[in-house]
Amino acid sequence: VRYAILGDIHGNWEALGAVLADIRRSGVDQHVCVGDIVGYNPDPARCLEQVRDLGTLVVQGNHDFFTVHPPGAMDMSAVAAAAIEWTCANLEDDHRQYLAGLPKNRTFDDVSVVHNTLEQTRHWQYVLGVDDANRSFAHQDSGVCFIGHTHVPVVFKKKKGLVTIARYKTIELDPDSKFLVNVGSVGQPRDRDPRAAYVIYDSDTRQVALKRVAYEVGRTQEKIRKAGLPLWLALRLAFGV
Ligand code: ZN
């Protein structure tokens, strides 16, 4: 089975459209989303409807969650909170119901999917280093787990009790290791590469390939300005931070 695994779309329609065109060219059987369909960027409804219409297997991200459960002051930065408030006001009831009903985890075909970590998802903590990854691996029965949340594509590998971290373009999933793969972000990359990121995973060959797709950043930036969203959200897209 060929899976396209994408996440942290964050309401960026230009990025999502470019990624879906790229996916159509390579051909996949199933779309999977590691969460955060909405938040930050100005097209949450359109992105949500597209993801929903593709029959995507989705898990809930923190922005999806906080859009339907308004955040407390401690839960996120002022910029993120302002964007959440804007997003909430620009969705319909059926969108909110969809976000509220998303599961936190999914497992299928020796694959796990979660937004941030399998350790526990209540506080939306990040997997930044090998210690965080090791705590997630303790809850991972499948050979590979796909995550997002940091917007930085990296792979953690656990072999004979040892966890290592690496950047990647392709990964061969060898059967005596476990893998925790961050698929990067479609709508707000933070690895200093402004191109949208997503992953193709083939469960027959057990290969993971990271894809990068250029899109019309200027168009999204213009929409952010017109929507009155914080200007930093436009600026950062040009730099991939
Ligand atoms: Zn995110």
Side-chain angles (χ1 to χ4, degrees), residues 7-10 35-36 38 40 62-63 115 126 148-151 185 188 190:
D8 295 288
I9 298 163
H10 284 299
D36 278 2
V38 304
Y40 292 132
N62 52 319
H63 285 252
H115 185 59
Y126 292 86
H149 200 39
T150 65
H151 302 203
S185 169
Q188 194 192 79
R190 295 179 190 161

Side-chain angles (χ1 to χ4, degrees), residues 5-27:
I5 305 171
L6 47 153
D8 295 288
I9 298 163
H10 284 299
N12 187 332
W13 173 254
E14 287 70 32
L16 179 61
V19 161
L20 292 177
D22 198 60
I23 290 170
R24 277 195 296 276
R25 280 191 290 276
S26 74

Side-chain angles (χ1 to χ4, degrees), residues 53-229:
D53 292 350
L54 285 166
T56 307
L57 298 172
V58 187
V59 295
Q60 191 178 54
N62 52 319
H63 285 252
D64 307 322
F65 175 83
F66 286 125
T67 294
V68 287
H69 304 94
M74 301 300 287
D75 289 328
M76 50 176 55
S77 71
V79 167
I84 294 265
E85 201 181 321
W86 184 94
T87 298
C88 194
N90 283 273
L91 290 175
E92 307 294 333
D93 276 349
D94 70 305
H95 301 136
R96 280 188 281 272
Q97 275 163 25
Y98 177 84
L99 293 175
L102 293 174
K104 291 281 196 290
N105 302 277
R106 286 181 182 272
T107 308
F108 49 88
D109 202 4
D110 199 32
V111 171
S112 305
V113 182
V114 66
H115 185 59
N116 56 332
T117 169
L118 292 171
E119 184 190 1
Q120 58 114 309
T121 53
R122 208 163 65 82
H123 300 298
W124 302 106
Q125 70 267 50
Y126 292 86
V127 172
L128 296 170
V130 292
D131 292 338
D132 304 321
N134 206 19
R135 287 195 295 274
S136 186
F137 277 126
H139 301 269
Q140 183 179 329
D141 296 322
S142 54
V144 59
C145 176
F146 293 100
I147 61 171
H149 200 39
T150 65
H151 302 203
V152 176
V154 290
V155 56
F156 298 91
K157 176 176 176 169
K158 183 165 190 172
K159 187 166 191 172
K160 293 181 180 147
L162 185 71
V163 179
T164 53
I165 178 175
R167 304 300 289 261
Y168 69 96
K169 286 210 170 94
T170 58
I171 309 163
E172 310 275 340
L173 300 186
D174 70 78
D176 22 286
S177 302
K178 279 188 183 177
F179 294 84
L180 182 61
V181 180
N182 191 308
V183 301
S185 169
V186 171
Q188 194 192 79
R190 295 179 190 161
D191 61 342
R192 298 182 186 280
D193 180 345
R195 293 176 299 167
Y198 79 97
V199 150
I200 299 272
Y201 170 54
D202 188 320
S203 63
D204 300 319
T205 62
R206 293 185 58 84
Q207 284 183 329
V208 177
L210 178 65
K211 304 283 187 178
R212 298 309 287 252
V213 187
Y215 71 96
E216 291 180 84
V217 173
R219 225 174 153 135
T220 311
Q221 291 178 313
E222 191 53 39
K223 287 187 186 173
I224 289 171
R225 283 187 210 103
K226 282 195 177 139
L229 282 158

